[in-house]
Amino acid sequence: MDRRNFIKSTAAASTVALVSPDSLFDFSSKIDKVRVGIVGCGMRGQVHLDELLKRNDVEVVGIAEPDQRMIDRSNKIFAKYKKKPVEYFKGLDGYKKLYKNKKIHAVIIATPWEFHAEQTIAAMNAGKIVGLEVCGAMNLQECWDYVDTYEKTKVPVFMMENVCYRRDVMAIMNMVRKGMFGQIVHGQGGYQHDLRNVLFNDGKQPYGGGVEFGDKGFSEAAWRTNHYVKRNAELYPTHGLGPIGTMMDVNRGNRITHLTSMASQQAGLTDYIVKNGGADHPNAKVKFKQGDIVQTMLKCENGETILLTHDTSLQRPYNLGFRIQGTDGIWQDIGSGGFSQGFIYFEDEMKHSHKWASSEDHLKTYDHPYWKKYETQAEGAGHGGMDFFLMNDFIECIKANKEFPFDVYDLATWYAVTPLSEKSIEGNGASQEMPDFTRGKYKTRKPVFGTEDYGI
């Protein structure tokens, strides 16, 4: 049996196993240490590096990073853990050299959004399992390219959406799985986060500052802000859609059928530049295409609706705006993930009071077993512990040859919201059909994340 047919037959034999054409993998047994490469070691990539270096079951083999400043920062993280710096591959095509390293089992890609498709598809073709950071696709064809490449190579991709692991979100998902909200009807979420000091960052302040972007920008301001200049879309759909989609079994018994989007005018970014750099600053004349508030309504085959809100250009407190509502109850998030920062209402339990109650007691009672198991290890990890769970799933699934909870079909669906919303806004809210990236497999695919038998 040749190598390709062996891969195909292995995939057919076990639909829940990770399958890679990398000849270093032993499909019949677990591996003890995962050898990882990182593509993009900017600020987010450094968070992943820090999580990886904490573990004794991971070896970071190489990093592809064109910016010497980020390489220097990465070396400080290696020094923190008293580990030797790895081999660096510089230049925008350094990832291609990294992929030639036959020791590498998997790569984490944390680069600017426009590079995700090219780098992920190249990794799959090179036999490297992929953990891909979030964003939205540049176009719909990219989403099909992810799926088609996976179905050709059988090299899996993990959609690295960390908010799915937020403690209150997982507790609510646990309650949803137990049927406490009754039949789910509607959900909301989004990215409601003041990013002005990220979009304009001259590198002189520790947490951003100034009014520069593009060639004069530092970190994300060097590339992310250009999307606001050129696009008008739901640019960051996964923080809201990932958690709500898992509660509604999207791609696992349910699917999104279509969406419609609308955007407000742009005022926030120009106002920020004028206030901080002056009306005469060149960037005050930039015409930003991205609306300050973008709202996208999605419809599911099973009847549910999902509302996503993108709100990153105006002053506001951080809040992802989660809401899950069913025939027997409703939960609404008003903060940043703490058990005491949300409201809940169950009509029968609360004797038809029509008054919100704090969600704290319910969330503590139904804290997800995964959080209970790893709470100690997650202490100090980024985003309130979420980054530990994200990385733990990536590594442990590879070690156990186990299906990722969020896969290439979720990736394609969540990413597709961006180009579809862009087209809808251009058409004054015209409805856009969401492709079935599973090609019908969603009808028989079973939920993985948040189910009773979930856990590594």
Side-chain angles (χ1 to χ4, degrees):
M1 182 181 293
D2 65 28
R3 188 179 179 206
R4 181 176 295 277
N5 287 333
F6 172 71
I7 295 165
K8 289 181 178 179
S9 65
T10 306
S14 176
T15 59
V16 296
L18 295 174
V19 181
S20 168
D22 188 339
S23 59
L24 292 173
F25 271 84
D26 179 358
F27 294 98
S28 64
S29 63
K30 299 179 181 180
I31 60 173
D32 295 324
K33 180 168 286 193
V34 182
R35 295 188 292 273
V36 178
I38 300 179
V39 181
C41 216
M43 307 307 282
R44 186 59 180 154
Q46 290 165 36
V47 171
H48 292 316
L49 176 63
D50 190 79
E51 283 299 316
L52 290 168
L53 292 178
K54 291 177 183 177
R55 305 179 66 105
N56 58 17
D57 57 354
V58 171
E59 179 186 356
V60 178
V61 177
I63 291 174
E65 171 54 56
D67 190 334
Q68 185 61 48
R69 293 173 297 178
M70 297 305 176
I71 291 174
D72 294 341
R73 293 172 67 102
S74 299
N75 282 333
K76 291 180 181 179
I77 300 174
F78 279 100
K80 170 184 170 183
Y81 292 100
K82 296 180 172 56
K83 295 186 178 181
K84 293 182 179 180
V86 299
E87 184 177 5
Y88 287 96
F89 299 91
K90 298 183 180 181
L92 291 178
D93 62 348
Y95 72 93
K96 297 177 182 178
K97 300 174 184 176
L98 179 72
Y99 293 168
K100 292 179 180 179
N101 187 327
K102 299 203 177 285
K103 293 181 179 180
I104 292 176
H105 296 124
V107 295
I108 291 172
I109 297 174
T111 55
W113 304 338
E114 53 266 35
F115 300 137
H116 283 191
E118 175 185 327
Q119 293 169 345
T120 299
I121 290 166
M124 285 191 279
N125 284 325
K128 311 302 183 188
I129 292 173
V130 179
L132 180 60
E133 259 298 337
V134 298
C135 77
M138 299 301 104
N139 54 67
L140 203 60
Q141 184 57 50
E142 283 186 355
C143 300
W144 280 115
D145 291 342
Y146 289 120
V147 171
D148 291 343
T149 305
Y150 165 72
E151 293 183 345
K152 178 186 71 174
T153 65
K154 297 302 179 186
V155 177
V157 179
F158 178 42
M159 180 73 267
M160 300 184 77
E161 177 42 70
N162 64 340
V163 178
C164 291
Y165 296 90
R166 210 173 86 172
R167 192 165 196 167
D168 58 339
V169 168
M170 289 196 75
I172 291 295
M173 182 175 56
N174 195 26
M175 295 167 70
V176 168
R177 299 289 187 202
K178 293 179 182 298
M180 294 177 63
F181 290 90
Q183 181 178 346
I184 300 300
V185 174
H186 177 72
Q188 294 179 193
Y191 196 46
Q192 301 180 134
H193 185 185
D194 182 357
L195 291 182
R196 293 172 300 170
N197 68 333
V198 173
L199 297 171
F200 304 108
N201 184 352
D202 56 15
K204 297 177 182 178
Q205 303 294 328
Y207 300 104
V211 294
E212 300 294 351
F213 71 95
D215 292 340
K216 296 182 180 180
F218 175 74
S219 189
E220 292 182 51
W223 58 269
R224 185 171 185 163
T225 318
N226 287 323
H227 289 271
Y228 289 66
V229 176
K230 299 175 182 179
R231 310 188 74 179
N232 192 9
E234 169 48 82
L235 292 177
Y236 213 75
T238 68
H239 275 358
L241 181 55
I244 297 299
T246 59
M247 295 181 198
M248 294 182 179
D249 296 334
V250 169
N251 289 335
R252 299 176 185 275
N254 196 7
R255 63 175 292 258
I256 297 167
T257 57
H258 58 284
L259 64 77
T260 182
S261 295
M262 296 186 72
S264 75
Q265 78 272 34
Q266 187 286 129
L269 298 186
T270 299
D271 177 76
Y272 182 84
I273 294 169
V274 170
K275 287 178 178 177
N276 291 276
D280 294 330
H281 193 283
N283 287 342
K285 308 298 189 295
V286 174
K287 302 296 183 182
F288 295 95
K289 191 174 182 181
Q290 176 72 15
D292 287 339
I293 308 292
V294 174
Q295 301 215 75
T296 301
M297 182 68 82
L298 304 96
K299 186 64 182 287
C300 295
E301 184 175 82
N302 292 350
E304 307 95 334
T305 53
I306 303 172
L307 177 63
L308 301 180
T309 301
H310 185 273
D311 173 6
T312 63
S313 303
L314 298 166
Q315 57 81 37
R316 60 158 301 125
Y318 176 89
N319 172 230
L320 298 188
F322 285 115
R323 171 175 157 188
I324 194 74
Q325 189 167 7
T327 54
D328 294 339
I330 178 173
W331 170 69
Q332 193 155 308
D333 158 42
I334 61 167
S336 57
F339 277 0
S340 62
Q341 297 186 41
F343 290 123
I344 202 162
Y345 181 73
F346 293 105
E347 185 176 65
D348 292 341
E349 178 185 329
M350 298 172 185
K351 304 185 185 305
H352 298 255
S353 68
H354 295 280
K355 294 181 180 180
W356 290 105
S358 169
S359 60
E360 185 171 6
D361 289 342
H362 284 86
L363 296 182
K364 286 182 177 178
T365 300
Y366 295 98
D367 195 11
H368 197 279
Y370 199 32
W371 261 94
K372 292 180 181 179
K373 180 178 180 180
Y374 288 110
E375 178 178 5
T376 301
Q377 291 95 313
E379 289 180 0
H383 293 92
M386 290 185 284
D387 289 342
F388 164 82
F389 288 93
L390 181 77
M391 190 59 67
N392 194 59
D393 267 8
F394 183 60
I395 297 301
E396 294 293 348
C397 282
I398 294 173
K399 287 167 55 182
N401 199 28
K402 185 174 181 179
E403 180 182 11
F404 287 135
F406 316 117
D407 62 12
V408 71
Y409 301 111
D410 301 311
L411 164 65
T413 303
W414 301 353
Y415 267 30
V417 171
T418 296
L420 291 175
S421 68
E422 189 171 26
K423 189 173 181 181
S424 179
I425 291 168
E426 289 175 353
N428 292 318
S431 180
Q432 304 296 315
E433 181 180 350
M434 174 67 75
D436 172 18
F437 292 104
T438 76
R439 295 185 171 101
K441 292 189 285 291
Y442 76 95
K443 296 177 182 178
T444 56
R445 280 163 46 95
K446 302 299 182 185
V448 176
F449 187 65
T451 57
E452 290 184 1
D453 61 349
Y454 175 78
I456 302 298

